[in-house]
Amino acid sequence: DVSVLRGPVARWDVGALWSTNHSEASDVGSHRVAIFPNGGGVVEEMRDSVAAPCYYGSVVTNPDAVGVTPTFDLAGRMIGPTYPTFSYGLTTRLGLGRISLSLLGEGQGGSWLPFVTAWESVREKTWPGCYDVQDALAAGDTTGLTAGQRAACDPRYASLASWTFPAGFFRLRYASLTVRLPERWLPGVHRAWLGLTARNLVLLTNYPGLDPEAITGGSTEGTFGNGFRSESFELPHPRSVELTLKLDL
C-alpha cells in the first residue's frame, strides 16, 4: 500500500496485489489423472510437462472450411490450463473532509472454462446463439455454414471443446461511499454516518458465459458427480446495493 496524499483535510491511499500460480506435471507416466472422460469431447487431465491440470478436447481441425462436415482432433488437443495462472487486486481509499470513498477491484487470467450451459442447450436446440445455424440445418442448407459453426451449433457434432473459452476477468468487487453527517442534523446523536455500498457492479471479460466465477466442480462433488470444473447452469454473482445509517449515541 502507498499513501499518495496526506493532509489535514484530504487523504488518498492506493494498494495493489499480484500473485502467480505456475505448475507442471513432471512424471505422470501411464497413470494419467482424467476427470469427466468422454464428457462432450473435453477432459480435465494431468499430462507431463504442462500445467496441472489442463483441459484437452476434440478440437475442430477445419473450422473455416465452408459447406463441409467438421473434423476433430480425436487425440485430444490441449485447450488450456484449468486454474488461473495469475491474479491481482487493486484498492484505493480517498478521504476528503467528511466524505470517504473506497474501491476494490480483483481479476485473474490464464485459465479456461467450459461453457456447459450453452453446450447442453445446443444439444436440446434451445441456445439462442445457434438458432440461425440450426434453422439452416433444418432447411437442409449447409452451403453457407463453416465447419466451426457446425462444431458449435449442430447437435450431431457439437463438441464441448468449441464451447471452452479463456476465463480471465476483472471485477469491481466493492465500492463504498461514506459521509459523516453534520452533528446539528441529528440533535442528541454524538456522530452519524450515511453509507452506500455496492458489490459486483462491473465485470469486464471476454468469456461469453454469465460469469467466469460461477464455477461448478473442482472437487469430488462437482458437475455430474465428479470434479470437472465448468460453468454449468450456475447463477452469476449478484449485484447488490446497500444503504446504511450508523448512529453513535
Side-chain angles (χ1 to χ4, degrees), residues 102-107 169-176 197-204 210-214 235-242:
S102 298
L103 301 174
L104 169 63
E106 294 179 328
F169 69 88
F170 174 80
R171 187 188 299 273
L172 181 57
R173 186 80 65 188
Y174 175 89
S176 176
T197 301
R199 292 178 173 82
N200 301 316
L201 278 184
V202 177
L203 174 63
L204 304 177
L210 293 177
D211 190 333
E213 288 189 291
L235 294 177
H237 283 46
R239 295 185 178 94
S240 65
V241 178
E242 180 181 280

Side-chain angles (χ1 to χ4, degrees), residues 31-171:
H31 302 287
R32 291 177 176 175
V33 179
I35 301 174
F36 199 32
N38 302 317
V42 171
V43 296
E44 187 180 331
E45 190 171 304
M46 305 273 280
R47 295 187 183 181
D48 285 342
S49 303
V50 295
C54 284
Y55 293 110
Y56 297 84
S58 302
V59 177
V60 61
T61 58
N62 59 339
D64 299 323
V66 180
V68 300
T69 300
T71 58
F72 299 92
D73 181 355
L74 299 181
R77 186 179 302 179
M78 189 180 82
I79 299 172
T82 299
Y83 294 97
T85 58
F86 66 89
S87 60
Y88 57 94
L90 301 170
T91 62
T92 186
R93 184 179 184 276
L94 176 63
L96 183 62
R98 294 176 176 269
I99 302 173
S100 64
L101 173 67
S102 298
L103 301 174
L104 169 63
E106 294 179 328
Q108 64 184 35
S111 64
W112 291 63
L113 188 66
F115 189 11
V116 171
T117 304
W119 173 67
E120 290 279 15
S121 299
V122 166
R123 298 169 71 195
E124 299 295 330
K125 300 183 180 180
T126 58
W127 187 249
C130 286
Y131 285 166
D132 290 346
V133 172
Q134 291 176 353
D135 286 346
L137 292 170
D141 181 12
T142 61
T143 56
L145 300 179
T146 66
Q149 287 177 303
R150 296 187 67 180
C153 294
D154 188 337
R156 294 172 297 176
Y157 301 106
S159 169
L160 186 54
S162 298
W163 292 98
T164 302
F165 302 98
F169 69 88
F170 174 80
R171 187 188 299 273

